[in-house]
Amino acid sequence: MIHKARSCIDPSIRCLSYREKQQFWNVKVAPRPANGPASMGSEAYFQEEADYDAVTLKEKQMQIEALVNRIWTQLSTFEESSAACISNMLRDVTNGMYLDATRMAEKLILHVEVLFAAIDELETGFASAGAKGMSHVREARMLCRKTVDLLSLLSHTQDSSSSTNPPQVQSQRTGITQDILSLVTGLAHYLKILIRIALTGGLKLEREHSNGDALPKFLDHLQCLAMDGANPNAKRRQLPTIPNPSKPAVVGRSDDIAYGYRSLDPDCAGESPFSPNAIAQAVQRDTSLISNPPTDLCVACKLTVEEDCVRLGVYRRWHSHCVKCVTCGKTADVTPPKEEGNAADAAKVTPNDSSSDSKRPAQLSLAHRPPPNVDDFRYEQLGVEPSSSSDEMPQPQVVIYCTAHATSDCRSGFSGVSRLEQYAYLLNIALRRLFFLLCHQGVINLTASPGPTDR
């Protein structure tokens, strides 16, 4: 049984402590045959007796102890690093250092992205084994919602000091503090649940499906993140490993990066707008950092893309059913397997339930869906599409064709985006919008050259 003692990163932030006196991952690492223990006197029983002697049992014990120690070390480091991001973010907000708080929020979102990418990789392992995957969608969705709510609340903290009435100021600050404590407690709760789900999934792949690479790869991602100091601008270099050609590809991930999603890597998404280098260049050029924040809307229907989807580049995204051939009407979405017993749970976590927009996509589902058929589609790029708002980033207009009707000017480039990858993308978009808002409100002043904040 793996557990670790309770710790609190910052005693002044009581919300970072867990309610329990001890943190339990509540998993067993002991090897177990897929068919259960052999009965005494059976052929399998005598085979086990022949395979194990004092030396081999000692070796097996040392292997398990080494695995337990690594699990303990990597997961503890990841949890404590996430808690430190939250603690430092709240401290910076309290001290009025909103730029530093934004950077801490970016580090926290990077932790979430790395965990999501690791879960997606484990899900691919279950899919390749023909087994049912892990149940994690609701927890991931709630974690993202808590994070976005926390960012939204932090954008209003400076309003509590604008009043000249001291009792009113104290009342506003008390209410905001209570809301922050509630959100951070929920955020830590769902983060811990997802870590346990990933750990359990890795162990299950090893025990029941003979996938000995799943759990070590999961721990490798967390280790590489820690080695880079959870720096959002770090090159996500891959640790030297033995190549495995038989391993299936993971949607959104690539073996040339050590953690996270390829589409959100700085080499693809660009340097963080909150980095000291980006801010120094913007101040020197006297330009705005995020004059046109990226959008979370579908290129076709202009509605929010909240689930698995299709992307072109990094910031242009479509619902899978909105990727449609203009000639024959073929779409990229794939019919998911019939969902059983999840309708009620899906309704509980569907955002914006009060919306009556008839154009809104179908109710968000908890079922695992196959990736879209992006290989069957091409696009032709036209001129820059006029933007409906000055705050939107202008993008080249594209016309979509299926491979059967593609013209000679068409090109490939569509990529499938998993549900968790889109969640990570939406968190980054929410943070950029927060930064854009704080800059416009004058809360963050970029006229002075900011020093690097690298905690």
Side-chain angles (χ1 to χ4, degrees), residues 310-332:
V310 176
R311 67 177 176 87
L312 182 61
V314 177
Y315 300 111
R316 284 185 287 178
R317 307 206 171 202
W318 288 259
H319 299 105
S320 297
H321 60 270
C322 289
V323 176
K324 182 185 301 185
C325 176
V326 296
T327 302
C328 65
K330 178 181 178 180
T331 60

Side-chain angles (χ1 to χ4, degrees), residues 290-296 390-393 429 432-433 436:
I290 317 180
S291 57
N292 294 303
T295 180
D296 57 356
S390 60
D391 291 337
E392 292 183 5
M393 183 182 300
I429 296 300
R432 295 192 180 205
R433 288 179 174 174
F436 180 73

Side-chain angles (χ1 to χ4, degrees), residues 2 13 19 45 72 94 117 126 159 183 226 252 266 309 335 349 380 413:
I2 300 178
I13 309 294
R19 296 179 180 178
Y45 174 83
W72 192 330
T94 302
F126 282 106
D159 296 338
L183 285 174
C309 60
T335 303
V349 295
E380 180 181 355

Side-chain angles (χ1 to χ4, degrees), residues 109 113 116 144 261 264 420-428:
I109 291 174
E113 176 198 336
F116 282 178
C144 291
Y261 293 105
L264 300 179
L420 297 188
E421 181 182 356
Q422 181 65 10
Y423 288 173
Y425 171 80
L426 293 176
L427 289 179
N428 281 277

Side-chain angles (χ1 to χ4, degrees), residues 402-417:
C402 66
T403 52
H405 299 97
T407 66
S408 58
D409 295 328
C410 290
R411 64 186 77 173
S412 61
F414 289 113
S415 299
V417 178

Side-chain angles (χ1 to χ4, degrees), residues 2 61 69 89 91 95 120 163 187 232 286 297 313 339 345 368 411 435 445:
I2 300 178
Q61 178 184 356
N69 181 67
M89 178 175 60
R91 181 197 60 199
N95 295 332
D120 269 342
S163 176
L187 193 156
D286 193 23
L297 302 181
E339 189 174 1
D345 290 337
H368 177 73
R411 64 186 77 173
F435 182 71
N445 185 3

